[in-house]
Amino acid sequence: MTARLPKNALSQLGQLQLYNELAVKKQSFQPGAICFSPPRPGNARWQTALSVLADSFECGNLISREAFDCAVGCSNGPDLMANLRKKCGIVWLCRRIPVIDRHDEVCQAGFYAISPASYRAIRAWLKSLEPAK
């Protein structure tokens, strides 16, 4: 299912990104406040999920649940995100914004964003996985 964004989607996404930034600041995420526990080395799906979330943060974009599921190769993104929060300590926000689905109905699509502290922890962990040069 591919969702089309309504005509005013760009302004909605811009407002949503601003809202997420304010929400992150309001929840007072501190640079060292997250207790990141990296997934075990053999868990490729979690590694892919963390990489996708970090990449979307770098681009300044939110990632839709549908795009996340497709990029990670899972069919239950919310469960994977809940496990990342529970077992790895990832702090993320999910915002639901109205989009138009393939039946021209307005529905609420979920978009994920990670906190800056989570981004730094994920990037440091992914960098530690790179072979030494």
Side-chain angles (χ1 to χ4, degrees), residues 63-117:
I63 185 166
S64 70
R65 178 203 166 172
E66 182 181 28
F68 179 78
D69 287 355
C70 183
V72 175
C74 69
S75 59
N76 192 354
D79 183 58
L80 178 59
M81 293 297 290
N83 282 326
L84 289 172
R85 175 184 279 175
K86 181 179 169 186
K87 297 183 180 176
C88 297
I90 298 300
V91 177
W92 54 272
L93 304 167
C94 180
R95 296 291 171 238
R96 298 184 56 129
I97 63 170
V99 297
I100 300 170
D101 68 8
R102 63 181 159 193
H103 304 293
D104 289 330
E105 299 287 331
V106 176
C107 64
Q108 299 289 318
F111 287 82
Y112 297 118
I114 57 174
S115 72

Side-chain angles (χ1 to χ4, degrees), residues 2-53:
T2 303
R4 287 183 297 141
L5 294 173
K7 292 179 183 176
N8 61 349
L10 291 180
S11 64
Q12 284 182 356
L13 284 175
Q15 291 170 0
L16 184 60
Q17 286 176 321
L18 178 61
Y19 178 77
N20 277 334
E21 290 171 18
L22 294 174
V24 167
K25 289 177 186 174
K26 188 174 184 180
Q27 293 179 17
S28 68
F29 293 118
Q30 303 296 325
I34 145 177
C35 180
F36 180 69
S37 173
R40 59 188 181 278
N43 198 333
R45 177 166 287 156
W46 283 19
Q47 182 176 340
T48 304
L50 292 171
S51 181
V52 166
L53 289 168

